Structure formats: C-alpha cells, structure tokens
Amino acid sequence: MNLARSTAVGANQVFKEKYRQVIKEIVEPIIRDIERMQQGLVRTDIDTTLAGYIAMGMAEYAAGLVHQGKYPEQEALDRLNLILQ
C-alpha cells in the first residue's frame, strides 16, 4: 500500500486514478460487509463508507506492526477484532 500510495502523490494523474481504483477495490467489499452486518450486528446509523475506510486503515497498520515484528499475527488479529466489536 505504501508503494501504491507513493505513486499517487505526484503529478501523474494516471497513477492517482490507479491508486483510487485499488483503494476502491479493497474498501468496497468491507463496506458491503458492514452494510450486511447492519442487519442486526452493527448500528444502522453508522456511515458505512467512513467505517469501511477506517477498518481498512486499521487493518493496514496492524499488518505493518506484524510485518515489523512488533506483534504476532494472531495477537494483532485478536486485538483488532476486539476493537471492531
């Protein structure tokens, strides 16, 4: 994600659009999952688009911590799950 993000900060509009497409492909399934969970598990007043982007960011940074060796994968997943609940 950092590599994709770094290409999007320059003046090249093609890279910016590709970055937006990648983010959209990652976030849209998360948004759909949250919308499905609003059928009983998630409050209906939650902005699902904002929640999808927040969840993606949390998962991205948690993965970074695992990659850096600061947390074991299962512990990061458990704590992320706890936060999301």
Side-chain angles (χ1 to χ4, degrees):
M1 287 304 298
N2 287 337
L3 181 59
R5 190 178 298 109
S6 68
T7 64
V9 297
N12 189 319
Q13 293 301 317
V14 173
F15 288 152
K16 287 182 180 188
E17 182 54 34
K18 290 293 183 189
Y19 176 71
R20 284 193 278 279
Q21 289 174 355
V22 166
I23 294 298
K24 184 178 178 182
E25 287 188 30
I26 293 170
V27 174
E28 281 188 351
I30 297 170
I31 293 169
R32 284 193 302 271
D33 287 346
I34 294 169
E35 287 170 348
R36 278 195 292 271
M37 288 189 294
Q38 282 183 321
Q39 319 257 327
L41 298 175
V42 174
R43 294 175 14 194
T44 57
D45 62 339
I46 298 290
D47 180 321
T48 56
T49 300
L50 182 58
Y53 278 89
I54 290 170
M56 191 267 308
M58 290 170 57
E60 180 182 352
Y61 282 98
L65 290 171
V66 169
H67 181 70
Q68 294 169 19
K70 295 187 178 186
Y71 287 90
E73 182 178 346
Q74 190 58 53
E75 183 179 351
L77 287 171
D78 291 345
R79 289 177 185 234
L80 187 58
N81 193 22
L82 181 64
I83 292 167
L84 292 173
Q85 289 177 358

